[in-house]
Amino acid sequence: MSQPQQGSALERVRGLAREVAKFGAVGGVGVLVNLGVFNLIRHTTDLQVVRASVIATVVAIITNYLGFRYFTYRDRARTGGSRELPLFVAFSVIGLVIENGVLYAATYGLGWDGPVATNVFKFIGIGTATVFRFWSYRTWVFKALPEPRPESVEVAAVVSSPRGGAPGSTRAPEPAAK
């Protein structure tokens, strides 16, 4: 979906469905990375639950950026370090706070800090943050390329026509001889 859809509602829905599927594939890998790193840290160190979760989330964010840029949104405008990366980091940090806020509330607010409970609330936090991330990444970070303007298509047709002159020529076409 490199360009905003101007077609029928069905075409727009299909385009959105493709985007959601790609986002979900990258996100699924990110969830596996996130939960894997989280559980590895929890079972091999004495680090507190939320700190382990924040580290795991950061590792998953790095993994997800690569997947989004080079798979999900590879056909979107590339603004690199000037706009895309700072926005991605900013929205990812907000998602990190959402995700780990759920885990923090369950662990320290409700006292649910067993291995199963922490994974359940970590997963709920990831799901909640994913809704925010999908909206923010597609709206602000990986913007769709604009539709080509109709007049640029007409100019290209005139320049490439047999009577339109040489490509790149600024001369008006000469009238046909009778």
Side-chain angles (χ1 to χ4, degrees), residues 17-118:
R18 280 190 301 274
E19 182 179 347
V20 168
K22 287 180 172 183
F23 188 92
V26 171
V29 170
V31 168
L32 292 176
V33 167
N34 198 332
L35 291 173
V37 171
F38 174 68
N39 283 295
L40 180 68
I41 292 171
R42 288 282 293 146
H43 295 296
T44 60
T45 71
D46 291 331
L47 206 56
Q48 294 174 349
V49 174
V50 176
R51 288 182 184 170
S53 180
V54 168
I55 292 168
T57 302
V58 169
V59 173
I61 286 169
I62 293 166
T63 304
N64 286 353
Y65 177 77
L66 296 172
F68 291 141
R69 169 41 53 216
Y70 298 107
F71 177 66
T72 304
Y73 298 115
R74 69 176 174 250
D75 57 347
R76 298 281 178 102
R78 293 180 188 254
T79 55
S82 65
R83 185 184 112 356
E84 178 180 292
L85 194 54
L87 283 174
F88 184 84
V89 169
F91 288 121
S92 294
V93 167
I94 294 168
L96 180 143
V97 170
I98 293 168
E99 174 183 330
N100 291 292
V102 170
L103 183 61
Y104 181 89
T107 302
Y108 299 109
L110 302 174
W112 295 336
D113 62 351
V116 173
T118 56

